[in-house]
Structures are given as C-alpha cells and as structure tokens.
Amino acid sequence: MKKSIYLLALVFTFTSCKKENNSTTSNILNKQQNNKFGIVIHGGAGTILKENLSSEKELEYKEKLEEAIRTGYTILKNGGSSIDAVTKTINILEDSPLFNAGKGAVFTNSGTNEHDASIMDGNTLNAGASAGTTTVKNPINLARSVMDKSPHVMLSGKGAEIFAKEQGLEIVDPSYFYTKKRFESLQNIKGTQNTELDHNNKTAFYDTAIKDSKFGTVGCVALDQNGNLAAGTSTGGMTNKRWGRIGDSPIIGAGTYANNNTCAVSSTGWGEYFIRAVVAHDISALMEYKGLSLKEAAKEVIQKKIPKLGGNGGIIAIDKNGNMVMEFNTAGMFRATINDRAELYIAMYKK
C-alpha cells in the first residue's frame, strides 16, 4: 500500500514539474519573441568624403560592413547572446585590411603593429580588455578571454600575449599584420612630430587611399532577445604613435561600455579626449541619472562636450529598448545597423 502511494506521489510530482517546466519554457519563448533586438557597427570616424572615395572602394567598404553586421544579426535572430554577436562581428572587421584593427592595423613609429581591444557584458557588468599586443590575430577574442577566464579586466603587452597562448587563441607572426597601404602611411610622416591623428586639422584617422582623411577603430554594440546588451571595440591605434601610447578603445567607460539599465556604446575618434571625457560611460550616466534618452545623451556628449574639449569622433549605441544611435561630429563614419525587422542601413558620409 505504501509503495503504491509512493509511486502515485512520484507520478503527480513528475507531471506537475513537467507542466511547470513547459510553462516556464513557453514564457521564455514568448518573452524572446516579444523582445526587440538589434545590432550596430562602426568602422571608424573621420574626414570621409564621397569625392575622395572611388566607387569601387566605396562598394568594398559597404560589402564588408554588410558581411560583418549580418554575421552578428544571424546570431541574434537565432537567439544567440549579444556578447557572441559582438565578438563574431568584430572578428570580420579585424580580418579585413580595410579597417584599422587586426589585419588592417596601422604602424607605430618603430614599425610595429600594436593592437588594443575591449568588450563588456551589460548584464553582469563584467568586462575584459587588452592593450599593446603584436601577435594575437583577433584582439577582441583576447579581450573576451580576459573577461571570461581571468580575474582581471585589462592585460597588456607580453603578459597579455602569454595569457592568449594559454587560452589557445590564434597567434600569428607580426608580419601577418603588414599591409602596404598602412606601411606607406607611416613612411609619409616618419621623422616628423606628427601622428596620423593630425592635431592641427582635428580629424580622426588617416588613410592614404582616402585623400586627407583619418579613420580607424572598429566597434559593435548589440541587444539580444533576452534583453542583454553588449559592446566591443578593437583598434590598431594611431599611425606613428610612440612610447606605447594607448587610446580609449581598450578603456572601459571611455571606448566601450554596456549596462542593461541603459545602453551599450562603442567609441571611435580622438582617443585622448574620449578618455578625458569618459565618453561611453558618460552617455550611460546621462540616461541613468538625468533621464535623457539615448539620442539626447549621445548628442550632448558628441556634439557639445567633446568639441568643447578640442577633440572629435563619434559613437554607436543601442539602448535596452532597441533604439539605435550613430552620432559623430566628423565628416563621416563607416557605420551600419540592422533591427529585429531585418531592416539594414549602411552609410559612410554625413549625409
């Protein structure tokens, strides 16, 4: 008798749990279906003018931007995380010689390519960053590993490379990062006191393929179906930089920031000023403490605060509701967005 009662109790418990689990699963699926998601990318801001860009080169940039953003969009559409979408999207941009990150990184004064990157999870506020590496193929992967597999937030130089090897990340010979265009840019200004973040003209980054222009850095921000935000940024820094100079890209709060309560931000521009203004976090703080919308906060920081300090550049951002912003005060910014309705937008120039 006792055995029969026990068996009946087990059946009842199993049935109840199954119903509860099915109900929970259904709620999660419904939540995912109702939640918005989206992704935004940038490939640098600066003096990017249509008259200085051939139609062939323009198409090349557009195709690579689309390839990158569709990579992240597919992950989000299939229910993947914003962190994964950001990482994989930036990988595409890092592997392209078109952008100043990874393969297309600019040269330092000593003729090396030094990479910086950072990533942040808006759900946990966990973050990872690396600076001054020369052999890690995809710096954003190193930043992700620092976040996921170390007790630290930022690693630099040789120590960061040792950690990368321990984590099984792809290591390449420094010659992998050589591109003729970037090397020629260095030769054009070597021996001068200038960097190709021309402080006199106050523009962002220089590329010999685009007359009198400056650009660099790649970034991505995303909101997934679970309502989690993430941001990541990767760069080769500044042509002809010296003394181990590090810009805003690997600095959490300046070049990268994500917080589920507000937004996710990736910066591109004159790093020294973005560090001083703590740009990415400032946008989030204006939303959280002052009640500004993402659009209002981005405009306040990029169109007022940064120019007042003497710097320039831009940001991409997405808030917890899926609103997207691409704010810049330069002549152009390589950028793209896709929302949950699969609406793609790609642009390079101001208008």
Side-chain angles (χ1 to χ4, degrees):
M1 182 68 179
K2 287 183 179 180
K3 188 174 181 181
S4 298
I5 293 173
Y6 177 71
L7 287 173
L8 285 172
L10 279 177
V11 170
F12 176 78
T13 302
F14 175 77
T15 304
S16 298
C17 289
K18 187 174 182 182
K19 286 181 179 178
E20 185 178 340
N21 287 337
N22 286 340
S23 176
T24 302
T25 302
S26 177
N27 288 337
I28 291 173
L29 289 174
N30 287 334
K31 180 183 177 184
Q32 288 182 346
Q33 289 170 355
N34 292 331
N35 274 354
K36 292 183 177 181
F37 66 92
I39 184 169
V40 191
I41 64 173
H42 73 73
T47 308
I48 303 165
L49 302 172
K50 189 172 181 62
E51 57 264 33
N52 294 332
L53 202 63
S54 69
S55 57
E56 291 80 12
K57 184 60 69 174
E58 182 178 300
L59 179 61
E60 198 174 346
Y61 277 108
K62 285 183 176 179
E63 288 178 342
K64 187 55 64 174
L65 288 169
E66 181 171 355
E67 178 190 351
I69 200 165
R70 286 197 181 279
T71 297
Y73 170 77
T74 300
I75 292 171
L76 297 173
K77 182 183 177 182
N78 293 333
S81 71
S82 53
I83 278 287
D84 285 344
V86 165
T87 305
K88 297 301 183 182
T89 298
I90 290 179
N91 282 162
I92 300 296
L93 299 173
E94 286 179 330
D95 290 345
S96 170
L98 292 173
F99 305 99
N100 179 17
K103 176 64 177 175
V106 298
F107 284 83
T108 67
N109 178 265
S110 60
T112 59
N113 306 103
E114 297 179 2
H115 309 88
D116 308 326
S118 63
I119 196 166
M120 187 167 184
D121 182 343
N123 181 37
T124 62
L125 299 186
N126 198 6
S130 63
T133 60
T134 61
T135 62
V136 180
K137 181 176 181 287
N138 292 106
I140 196 67
N141 293 354
L142 173 53
R144 175 79 182 270
S145 291
V146 173
M147 179 179 74
D148 291 342
K149 300 175 181 179
S150 86
H152 309 299
V153 172
M154 182 185 288
L155 300 179
S156 67
K158 296 300 180 184
E161 292 177 346
I162 291 172
F163 176 78
K165 289 179 182 178
E166 291 176 352
Q167 298 306 314
L169 299 183
E170 187 169 358
I171 304 299
V172 296
D173 186 89
S175 61
Y176 163 81
F177 300 107
Y178 174 90
T179 57
K180 182 180 179 182
K181 181 178 68 173
R182 300 302 194 197
F183 190 70
E184 288 175 347
S185 295
L186 174 65
Q187 300 310 309
N188 288 339
I189 63 168
K190 197 162 185 180
T192 73
Q193 294 302 310
N194 296 324
T195 62
E196 289 203 358
L197 182 59
D198 190 332
H199 296 181
N200 295 322
N201 293 331
K202 293 184 178 179
T203 50
F205 301 92
Y206 182 87
D207 173 8
T208 53
I210 306 173
K211 184 180 178 183
D212 190 31
S213 66
K214 315 232 186 233
F215 82 103
T217 310
V218 302
C220 178
V221 295
L223 171 69
D224 63 32
Q225 294 187 48
N226 291 316
N228 293 322
L229 292 163
T233 312
S234 181
T235 188
M238 181 189 297
T239 299
N240 201 36
K241 65 182 180 181
R242 293 183 287 172
W243 311 302
R245 178 263 185 189
I246 296 171
D248 64 306
S249 294
I251 299 178
I252 301 303
T256 302
Y257 191 74
N259 186 328
N260 276 8
N261 292 326
T262 53
C263 63
V265 181
S266 174
S267 306
T268 172
W270 196 338
E272 279 68 19
Y273 290 93
F274 277 63
I275 293 171
R276 296 174 197 174
V278 200
V279 164
H281 181 267
D282 196 29
I283 291 171
S284 172
L286 285 170
M287 294 175 67
E288 186 169 9
Y289 306 138
K290 205 172 180 180
L292 269 61
S293 68
L294 176 60
K295 185 176 181 179
E296 291 169 335
K299 186 166 288 189
E300 173 70 21
V301 175
I302 298 302
Q303 303 301 342
K304 295 180 181 179
K305 290 188 175 183
I306 287 294
K308 188 175 180 180
L309 287 174
N312 63 0
I315 61 95
I316 55 169
I318 186 169
D319 70 15
K320 61 182 182 180
N321 298 313
N323 298 307
M324 297 180 278
V325 164
M326 299 172 287
E327 193 73 36
F328 56 98
N329 56 32
T330 54
M333 181 168 74
F334 295 106
R335 60 201 188 276
T337 68
I338 299 185
N339 59 22
D340 54 356
R341 297 181 297 280
E343 296 169 334
L344 172 67
Y345 172 82
I346 300 175
M348 288 180 269
Y349 314 114
K350 200 161 200 173
K351 295 181 180 180

PDB file of all heavy atoms in Angstrom, residues 119-138:
ATOM      1  N   ILE A 119      35.793  44.620 -24.388  1.00  0.00           N
ATOM      2  CA  ILE A 119      34.432  44.115 -24.527  1.00  0.00           C
ATOM      3  C   ILE A 119      33.750  44.179 -23.168  1.00  0.00           C
ATOM      4  O   ILE A 119      34.414  44.080 -22.132  1.00  0.00           O
ATOM      5  CB  ILE A 119      34.448  42.660 -25.071  1.00  0.00           C
ATOM      6  CG1 ILE A 119      33.064  42.256 -25.596  1.00  0.00           C
ATOM      7  CG2 ILE A 119      34.968  41.686 -24.036  1.00  0.00           C
ATOM      8  CD1 ILE A 119      33.098  40.985 -26.443  1.00  0.00           C
ATOM      9  N   MET A 120      32.430  44.370 -23.172  1.00  0.00           N
ATOM     10  CA  MET A 120      31.701  44.468 -21.897  1.00  0.00           C
ATOM     11  C   MET A 120      30.324  43.844 -22.009  1.00  0.00           C
ATOM     12  O   MET A 120      29.626  44.002 -23.015  1.00  0.00           O
ATOM     13  CB  MET A 120      31.578  45.928 -21.459  1.00  0.00           C
ATOM     14  CG  MET A 120      30.982  46.103 -20.082  1.00  0.00           C
ATOM     15  SD  MET A 120      31.198  47.778 -19.449  1.00  0.00           S
ATOM     16  CE  MET A 120      30.497  47.588 -17.793  1.00  0.00           C
ATOM     17  N   ASP A 121      29.937  43.142 -20.950  1.00  0.00           N
ATOM     18  CA  ASP A 121      28.643  42.479 -20.837  1.00  0.00           C
ATOM     19  C   ASP A 121      27.716  43.362 -20.005  1.00  0.00           C
ATOM     20  O   ASP A 121      27.962  43.591 -18.820  1.00  0.00           O
ATOM     21  CB  ASP A 121      28.849  41.124 -20.154  1.00  0.00           C
ATOM     22  CG  ASP A 121      27.573  40.313 -20.034  1.00  0.00           C
ATOM     23  OD1 ASP A 121      26.476  40.889 -20.182  1.00  0.00           O
ATOM     24  OD2 ASP A 121      27.670  39.101 -19.773  1.00  0.00           O
ATOM     25  N   GLY A 122      26.635  43.846 -20.616  1.00  0.00           N
ATOM     26  CA  GLY A 122      25.728  44.744 -19.922  1.00  0.00           C
ATOM     27  C   GLY A 122      24.906  44.079 -18.841  1.00  0.00           C
ATOM     28  O   GLY A 122      24.363  44.746 -17.958  1.00  0.00           O
ATOM     29  N   ASN A 123      24.808  42.753 -18.875  1.00  0.00           N
ATOM     30  CA  ASN A 123      24.023  42.028 -17.886  1.00  0.00           C
ATOM     31  C   ASN A 123      24.763  41.919 -16.563  1.00  0.00           C
ATOM     32  O   ASN A 123      24.211  42.183 -15.497  1.00  0.00           O
ATOM     33  CB  ASN A 123      23.682  40.636 -18.418  1.00  0.00           C
ATOM     34  CG  ASN A 123      22.843  39.829 -17.452  1.00  0.00           C
ATOM     35  OD1 ASN A 123      21.969  40.365 -16.769  1.00  0.00           O
ATOM     36  ND2 ASN A 123      23.093  38.535 -17.379  1.00  0.00           N
ATOM     37  N   THR A 124      26.044  41.548 -16.632  1.00  0.00           N
ATOM     38  CA  THR A 124      26.845  41.334 -15.415  1.00  0.00           C
ATOM     39  C   THR A 124      27.771  42.502 -15.096  1.00  0.00           C
ATOM     40  O   THR A 124      28.338  42.556 -14.012  1.00  0.00           O
ATOM     41  CB  THR A 124      27.716  40.077 -15.579  1.00  0.00           C
ATOM     42  OG1 THR A 124      28.615  40.282 -16.688  1.00  0.00           O
ATOM     43  CG2 THR A 124      26.864  38.851 -15.861  1.00  0.00           C
ATOM     44  N   LEU A 125      27.946  43.396 -16.047  1.00  0.00           N
ATOM     45  CA  LEU A 125      28.920  44.494 -15.964  1.00  0.00           C
ATOM     46  C   LEU A 125      30.340  43.955 -15.920  1.00  0.00           C
ATOM     47  O   LEU A 125      31.270  44.649 -15.502  1.00  0.00           O
ATOM     48  CB  LEU A 125      28.663  45.420 -14.766  1.00  0.00           C
ATOM     49  CG  LEU A 125      27.303  46.127 -14.758  1.00  0.00           C
ATOM     50  CD1 LEU A 125      27.241  47.135 -13.595  1.00  0.00           C
ATOM     51  CD2 LEU A 125      27.027  46.840 -16.081  1.00  0.00           C
ATOM     52  N   ASN A 126      30.507  42.711 -16.349  1.00  0.00           N
ATOM     53  CA  ASN A 126      31.844  42.146 -16.461  1.00  0.00           C
ATOM     54  C   ASN A 126      32.484  42.694 -17.736  1.00  0.00           C
ATOM     55  O   ASN A 126      31.795  43.029 -18.700  1.00  0.00           O
ATOM     56  CB  ASN A 126      31.776  40.618 -16.531  1.00  0.00           C
ATOM     57  CG  ASN A 126      33.104  39.962 -16.202  1.00  0.00           C
ATOM     58  OD1 ASN A 126      34.054  40.625 -15.816  1.00  0.00           O
ATOM     59  ND2 ASN A 126      33.158  38.644 -16.359  1.00  0.00           N
ATOM     60  N   ALA A 127      33.804  42.812 -17.739  1.00  0.00           N
ATOM     61  CA  ALA A 127      34.491  43.404 -18.886  1.00  0.00           C
ATOM     62  C   ALA A 127      35.890  42.831 -19.019  1.00  0.00           C
ATOM     63  O   ALA A 127      36.474  42.317 -18.063  1.00  0.00           O
ATOM     64  CB  ALA A 127      34.557  44.917 -18.741  1.00  0.00           C
ATOM     65  N   GLY A 128      36.429  42.932 -20.237  1.00  0.00           N
ATOM     66  CA  GLY A 128      37.788  42.487 -20.495  1.00  0.00           C
ATOM     67  C   GLY A 128      38.444  43.371 -21.532  1.00  0.00           C
ATOM     68  O   GLY A 128      37.766  43.924 -22.406  1.00  0.00           O
ATOM     69  N   ALA A 129      39.757  43.534 -21.421  1.00  0.00           N
ATOM     70  CA  ALA A 129      40.470  44.400 -22.360  1.00  0.00           C
ATOM     71  C   ALA A 129      41.920  43.967 -22.489  1.00  0.00           C
ATOM     72  O   ALA A 129      42.482  43.342 -21.588  1.00  0.00           O
ATOM     73  CB  ALA A 129      40.404  45.851 -21.889  1.00  0.00           C
ATOM     74  N   SER A 130      42.506  44.309 -23.638  1.00  0.00           N
ATOM     75  CA  SER A 130      43.926  44.055 -23.852  1.00  0.00           C
ATOM     76  C   SER A 130      44.533  45.259 -24.572  1.00  0.00           C
ATOM     77  O   SER A 130      43.841  45.963 -25.305  1.00  0.00           O
ATOM     78  CB  SER A 130      44.145  42.790 -24.681  1.00  0.00           C
ATOM     79  OG  SER A 130      43.584  42.946 -25.981  1.00  0.00           O
ATOM     80  N   ALA A 131      45.819  45.468 -24.360  1.00  0.00           N
ATOM     81  CA  ALA A 131      46.489  46.621 -24.973  1.00  0.00           C
ATOM     82  C   ALA A 131      47.910  46.272 -25.380  1.00  0.00           C
ATOM     83  O   ALA A 131      48.596  45.495 -24.709  1.00  0.00           O
ATOM     84  CB  ALA A 131      46.505  47.798 -24.000  1.00  0.00           C
ATOM     85  N   GLY A 132      48.334  46.826 -26.515  1.00  0.00           N
ATOM     86  CA  GLY A 132      49.720  46.708 -26.946  1.00  0.00           C
ATOM     87  C   GLY A 132      50.166  45.322 -27.360  1.00  0.00           C
ATOM     88  O   GLY A 132      51.352  44.991 -27.251  1.00  0.00           O
ATOM     89  N   THR A 133      49.255  44.506 -27.884  1.00  0.00           N
ATOM     90  CA  THR A 133      49.662  43.170 -28.339  1.00  0.00           C
ATOM     91  C   THR A 133      50.093  43.220 -29.804  1.00  0.00           C
ATOM     92  O   THR A 133      49.613  44.045 -30.580  1.00  0.00           O
ATOM     93  CB  THR A 133      48.522  42.148 -28.174  1.00  0.00           C
ATOM     94  OG1 THR A 133      47.388  42.563 -28.940  1.00  0.00           O
ATOM     95  CG2 THR A 133      48.132  42.028 -26.710  1.00  0.00           C
ATOM     96  N   THR A 134      50.983  42.311 -30.186  1.00  0.00           N
ATOM     97  CA  THR A 134      51.529  42.310 -31.545  1.00  0.00           C
ATOM     98  C   THR A 134      51.413  40.973 -32.266  1.00  0.00           C
ATOM     99  O   THR A 134      51.749  40.882 -33.446  1.00  0.00           O
ATOM    100  CB  THR A 134      53.019  42.712 -31.522  1.00  0.00           C
ATOM    101  OG1 THR A 134      53.740  41.751 -30.731  1.00  0.00           O
ATOM    102  CG2 THR A 134      53.219  44.101 -30.929  1.00  0.00           C
ATOM    103  N   THR A 135      50.947  39.942 -31.577  1.00  0.00           N
ATOM    104  CA  THR A 135      50.900  38.613 -32.200  1.00  0.00           C
ATOM    105  C   THR A 135      49.538  37.935 -32.116  1.00  0.00           C
ATOM    106  O   THR A 135      49.359  36.848 -32.672  1.00  0.00           O
ATOM    107  CB  THR A 135      51.933  37.671 -31.549  1.00  0.00           C
ATOM    108  OG1 THR A 135      51.611  37.506 -30.160  1.00  0.00           O
ATOM    109  CG2 THR A 135      53.345  38.226 -31.684  1.00  0.00           C
ATOM    110  N   VAL A 136      48.579  38.535 -31.441  1.00  0.00           N
ATOM    111  CA  VAL A 136      47.248  37.935 -31.308  1.00  0.00           C
ATOM    112  C   VAL A 136      46.416  38.309 -32.533  1.00  0.00           C
ATOM    113  O   VAL A 136      46.169  39.480 -32.788  1.00  0.00           O
ATOM    114  CB  VAL A 136      46.546  38.407 -30.022  1.00  0.00           C
ATOM    115  CG1 VAL A 136      45.161  37.761 -29.907  1.00  0.00           C
ATOM    116  CG2 VAL A 136      47.398  38.075 -28.800  1.00  0.00           C
ATOM    117  N   LYS A 137      45.995  37.315 -33.304  1.00  0.00           N
ATOM    118  CA  LYS A 137      45.300  37.568 -34.571  1.00  0.00           C
ATOM    119  C   LYS A 137      44.023  38.388 -34.395  1.00  0.00           C
ATOM    120  O   LYS A 137      43.764  39.325 -35.155  1.00  0.00           O
ATOM    121  CB  LYS A 137      44.972  36.252 -35.268  1.00  0.00           C
ATOM    122  CG  LYS A 137      44.264  36.415 -36.610  1.00  0.00           C
ATOM    123  CD  LYS A 137      44.066  35.065 -37.289  1.00  0.00           C
ATOM    124  CE  LYS A 137      43.371  35.207 -38.641  1.00  0.00           C
ATOM    125  NZ  LYS A 137      41.942  35.535 -38.494  1.00  0.00           N
ATOM    126  N   ASN A 138      43.230  38.035 -33.403  1.00  0.00           N
ATOM    127  CA  ASN A 138      41.970  38.743 -33.159  1.00  0.00           C
ATOM    128  C   ASN A 138      41.938  39.291 -31.733  1.00  0.00           C
ATOM    129  O   ASN A 138      41.540  38.589 -30.792  1.00  0.00           O
ATOM    130  CB  ASN A 138      40.775  37.826 -33.395  1.00  0.00           C
ATOM    131  CG  ASN A 138      40.620  37.443 -34.856  1.00  0.00           C
ATOM    132  OD1 ASN A 138      40.918  36.322 -35.260  1.00  0.00           O
ATOM    133  ND2 ASN A 138      40.155  38.383 -35.664  1.00  0.00           N
TER     134      ASN A 138
END
